[in-house]
Amino acid sequence: MTTVAEPALVEHFEATLARHDRIEPRDWMPEAYRATLVRQIAQHAHSEIIGMQPEGNWLTRAPSLRRKAILLAKVQDEAGHGLYLYSACETLGTSRRELTEKLLTGRQKYSSIFNYPTLSYADVGTIGWLVDGAAICNQVPLCRTSYGPYGRAMIRICKEESFHQRQGYELLLTMMRGTDEQRAMVQESVDRFWWPALMMFGPPDADSPNTGQSMAWGIKRNTNDELRQKFVDMSVPQAEALGVTLPDPDLRWNEERQAHDFGQPDWDEFRAVVRGDGPCNAQRIEHRRRAHDDGAWVRAAATAFAARQAGEESR
Ligand code: FAQ
């Protein structure tokens, strides 16, 4: 690996970014660029994998075969997203084993949203509508991120997230056309998930240590606040069509800005959840650790098989 950046390599890196072209795994890149990518992609991969848990909680209690089939497909998609992203991270020279170890020991993060419980089946719909909706807002611009393997993974992931969002919206729409009790379940669920969904975009720009450099490198294409605004503007008409109220007394259209004004999430709560003190942090990591331990025999068998194959080939 090059340790001293030769001017020609630096120039090539900067010219590639200036052309909005992709940096590829074999290209020279500054170590800080590599570290930022590993940090963001790993967090993203961990979010997809931990993100299977809140909805997985309802797989055995789906209200119909159709709902169960949809939910199973969605949760499996999230596993696939985690795998593409771990692979993208491996192209930067970090092994999957190391990434998993860092997740399990709290040295890498995952999205705050997955530390909230799912208390009713309406939460499956709300997660699809709001959480996957927020994920799409955040991830569509990442299809144009400057690192090739990450951008290409995002293209496929966004297509699937779009199905996830629609299935959530359709579930909520069906419930809103049902009984008063079902409508109340949807409203209660939206009340719980609205603010945590806004937190998914990260801290306000003024408190975001990474945004400036990540934008300069073309890793991020928009700031946290820009994407949060886009999400609010997109969600308001969808909430109206559904017939639910978004739990923000400050939410209103601003004619001058041609955008909605809205209130701030509780940033103390956000910091506590990111620190590990959210309602389900301990439970999520414990479950992930158990699943990892249960899978040890699969990894051992695959490694032994690969070694035997390699031995046979060399003979
Ligand atoms: N949760 O300086 P910034 C999904 C951390 S979607 C936890 O603004 P950055 C799909 C941040 O890491 C969810 N931590 O950081 C799905 C940093 O800490 P560090 C995943 C957060 O990176 C749906 C510190 O705060 N999506 O999984 C959060 O420039 C349904 C300062 O923040 C992605 O990961 C948070 N919400 O911007 C699955 C998208 N926000 O690392 C299942 C890709 C911030 O310095 C079911 N990631 N932090 O120790 C990104 O776009 C960015 O990383 C941001 C944060 C926007 C999340």
Side-chain angles (χ1 to χ4, degrees):
M1 193 177 291
T2 318
T3 47
V4 180
E6 298 195 7
L9 295 175
V10 178
E11 206 177 293
H12 179 262
F13 174 78
E14 283 172 358
T16 308
L17 294 186
R19 283 197 311 276
H20 295 286
D21 227 337
R22 304 272 208 203
I23 303 294
E24 295 297 339
R26 290 205 180 96
D27 292 340
W28 179 87
M29 60 187 85
E31 280 313 305
Y33 174 85
R34 185 186 300 276
T36 296
L37 279 169
V38 169
R39 179 183 64 77
Q40 179 166 324
I41 303 173
Q43 280 183 21
H44 196 164
H46 299 325
S47 303
E48 301 281 358
I49 297 298
I50 297 279
M52 295 164 74
Q53 292 185 37
E55 290 166 285
N57 178 38
W58 284 93
L59 279 173
T60 54
R61 289 168 291 160
S64 69
L65 182 60
R66 176 170 176 268
R67 291 291 169 203
K68 185 168 180 140
I70 294 171
L71 187 57
L72 264 174
K74 180 188 191 281
V75 172
Q76 284 177 2
D77 282 354
E78 309 299 359
H81 298 174
L83 298 186
Y84 313 151
L85 288 165
Y86 282 129
S87 300
C89 216
E90 282 179 318
T91 66
L92 292 157
T94 310
S95 72
R96 172 107 169 259
R97 179 195 292 263
E98 196 180 330
L99 297 170
T100 304
E101 176 64 23
K102 285 191 170 155
L103 168 69
L104 295 179
T105 52
R107 283 175 294 155
Q108 280 176 348
K109 299 185 169 83
Y110 59 89
S111 182
S112 49
I113 191 75
F114 303 117
N115 291 308
Y116 291 87
T118 42
L119 304 179
S120 77
Y121 206 80
D123 288 359
V124 171
T126 308
I127 289 178
W129 175 39
L130 293 179
V131 176
D132 287 277
I136 292 170
C137 255
N138 169 274
Q139 292 173 21
V140 165
L142 290 175
C143 296
R144 293 181 290 109
T145 192
S146 57
Y147 187 58
Y150 190 26
R152 287 189 287 274
M154 292 318 306
I155 292 170
R156 183 157 174 189
I157 290 173
C158 283
K159 285 186 183 153
E160 291 175 350
E161 297 291 17
S162 158
F163 150 71
H164 296 171
Q165 203 239 6
R166 282 185 217 176
Q167 67 79 35
Y169 195 80
E170 190 263 348
L171 166 52
L172 296 184
L173 203 55
T174 306
M175 290 184 77
M176 291 304 285
R177 288 177 182 153
T179 62
D180 285 347
E181 203 182 350
Q182 285 174 309
R183 277 188 284 278
M185 271 172 81
V186 173
Q187 185 62 57
E188 190 274 335
S189 172
V190 170
D191 288 346
R192 274 184 291 112
F193 273 95
W194 174 249
W195 295 110
L198 290 192
M199 294 175 193
M200 287 175 70
F201 296 93
D205 292 350
D207 302 325
S208 163
N210 300 299
T211 294
Q213 183 59 74
S214 288
M215 297 273 287
W217 276 329
I219 294 175
K220 283 167 84 165
R221 295 292 184 191
N222 298 89
T223 72
N224 300 353
D225 286 334
E226 282 168 7
L227 294 173
R228 196 170 3 253
Q229 176 75 58
K230 197 168 162 211
F231 174 68
V232 171
D233 291 338
M234 182 181 101
S235 302
V236 169
Q238 293 174 352
E240 276 164 14
L242 267 180
V244 295
T245 307
L246 295 174
D248 179 356
D250 297 325
L251 185 63
R252 61 182 61 85
W253 178 249
N254 181 325
E255 190 59 35
E256 204 176 306
R257 290 199 307 117
Q258 288 291 300
H260 291 87
D261 291 336
F262 57 96
Q264 286 294 305
D266 179 346
W267 291 115
D268 287 337
E269 176 182 315
F270 169 75
R271 280 185 287 273
V273 174
V274 173
R275 222 177 28 238
D277 295 332
C280 299
N281 296 60
Q283 177 188 332
R284 300 291 185 237
I285 288 295
E286 179 47 36
H287 185 88
R288 182 72 198 92
R289 181 173 292 118
R290 207 167 43 242
H292 186 66
D293 291 347
D294 286 350
W297 70 270
V298 180
R299 292 188 296 279
T303 308
F305 180 73
R308 200 178 72 190
Q309 290 286 96
E312 277 171 14
E313 271 167 30
S314 68
R315 269 202 302 280

